[in-house]
Amino acid sequence: MMLPVYVINLDRSIERLKHASQQLQGVGIDFTRIVAVDGRKLSDNDINSVYDAQQNRERFYAPLTRGEIACYMSHRKAWQQLLDSDAEAAVIVEDDIIVSSDFAQLSTAIASLPGDWDLLKLAQPFKPKQSNKLADLGTFTLVDYRTDKPPMGACGYVISRSGATKLLARKCFFRPVDVDFQWQWETGCYVQGLLPYCVDNTHQHGSDILDVEDRHLKEKSAWRRFKEQWRFFWQNRRFNQTLD
């Protein structure tokens, strides 16, 4: 059974949708478009219904921009679409991606996964992270990140119904979506990966998030950043020890 593939795309990002469509059609994959939430059109009520500004001030080093909030909301739409369907899992990609030929083998690999799982990273678009081999799955290797932490970015991943349910249980968020993926003990969503990574960011398209509001202009707290990095280090270490 083929996994559904969801592409998150803004109505105004026509060229990006064309690019994503060419990438996926090139490996013989059909997809469903998820209409992304546009940060330019969010009302204060829209934001307050999903974004915890108080928690953000206490637990993150900078306020989220409207673009970051809209990005998180868009991924939540994709998770909910999975839960509203009959599918057991879905591939979720953003529209500024490059995919390898291995992408077409994802459904086969997922079908042979041992045991329950929540979320599988398909991309490592930024700083490389160490991984720990768990099993061979055809052309892929299943890994987790117990010696490090999951890669940043949310441009490509597979999520199960259990993973979507766990992430949606957090009614209000206060970090970017890809940062929340790293705080696995808070969300309950265990993050693994499939290597070789078959999705990458183009690193060429302009950022839809920065296009809404420049995050670099937000006031940042060096103290909160240090405190949360220290908190993450120790909690991540304890979490990873439970995986050994």
Side-chain angles (χ1 to χ4, degrees):
M1 178 179 174
M2 292 295 294
L3 290 175
V5 176
Y6 300 154
V7 176
I8 297 173
N9 170 255
L10 284 164
D11 283 338
R12 55 186 164 84
S13 296
I14 299 171
E15 287 303 313
R16 291 166 70 116
L17 179 61
K18 180 179 178 181
H19 165 81
S21 178
Q22 290 171 340
Q23 286 289 308
L24 295 172
Q25 288 176 0
V27 292
I29 298 295
D30 294 325
F31 66 89
T32 298
R33 176 174 174 256
I34 302 294
V35 179
V37 177
D38 193 335
R40 294 177 180 177
K41 299 179 180 179
L42 287 177
S43 68
D44 289 343
N45 285 339
D46 292 332
I47 292 173
N48 292 336
S49 68
V50 295
Y51 174 57
D52 191 331
Q54 179 63 36
Q55 276 283 83
N56 172 269
R57 286 190 291 271
E58 295 175 0
R59 297 291 311 282
F60 197 62
Y61 68 91
L64 298 194
T65 66
R66 286 177 175 265
E68 288 172 317
I69 292 169
C71 176
Y72 206 130
M73 293 172 71
S74 299
H75 282 269
R76 287 167 63 101
K77 282 185 67 174
W79 305 337
Q80 189 60 57
Q81 174 118 349
L82 167 61
L83 295 183
D84 290 341
S85 74
D86 295 328
E88 292 301 316
V91 183
I92 298 176
V93 297
E94 295 176 342
D95 57 8
D96 55 344
I97 45 111
I98 298 172
V99 302
S100 73
S101 58
D102 288 333
F103 192 94
Q105 306 304 317
L106 282 174
S107 292
T108 301
I110 299 303
S112 60
L113 269 172
D116 296 330
W117 59 279
D118 292 325
L119 189 148
L120 308 173
K121 299 283 281 194
L122 301 178
Q124 182 176 253
F126 306 115
K127 184 178 179 181
K129 298 297 179 185
Q130 297 177 15
S131 59
N132 173 67
K133 180 178 177 179
L134 299 176
D136 290 316
L137 302 177
T139 58
F140 292 99
T141 298
L142 177 68
V143 302
D144 66 12
Y145 304 97
R146 69 185 67 189
T147 56
D148 200 339
K149 59 184 176 182
M152 293 285 286
C155 64
Y157 57 95
V158 191
I159 192 165
S160 68
R161 296 185 72 86
S162 67
T165 300
K166 291 171 183 177
L167 290 172
L168 285 170
R170 170 168 280 178
K171 300 305 180 184
C172 290
F173 54 83
F174 56 92
R175 306 185 188 99
V177 61
D178 59 333
V179 179
D180 257 357
F181 286 166
Q182 295 181 314
W183 291 73
Q184 302 171 77
W185 52 94
E186 283 190 2
T187 65
C189 182
Y190 176 36
V191 178
Q192 299 167 286
L194 289 179
L195 271 61
Y197 295 116
C198 59
V199 178
D200 194 9
N201 190 290
T202 64
H203 303 286
Q204 295 176 352
H205 290 94
S207 170
D208 278 339
I209 292 176
L210 290 178
D211 188 44
V212 174
E213 187 179 8
D214 192 342
R215 66 161 69 97
H216 301 109
L217 300 179
K218 290 288 188 179
E219 184 177 350
K220 300 175 178 63
S221 168
W223 165 243
R224 277 206 310 275
R225 185 168 197 164
F226 171 78
K227 184 177 68 172
E228 285 303 299
Q229 285 176 335
W230 191 245
R231 185 202 303 267
F232 182 91
F233 172 80
W234 286 108
Q235 293 184 352
N236 186 55
R237 184 176 181 180
R238 286 198 295 268
F239 174 78
N240 287 335
Q241 287 173 347
T242 68
L243 303 177
D244 292 333

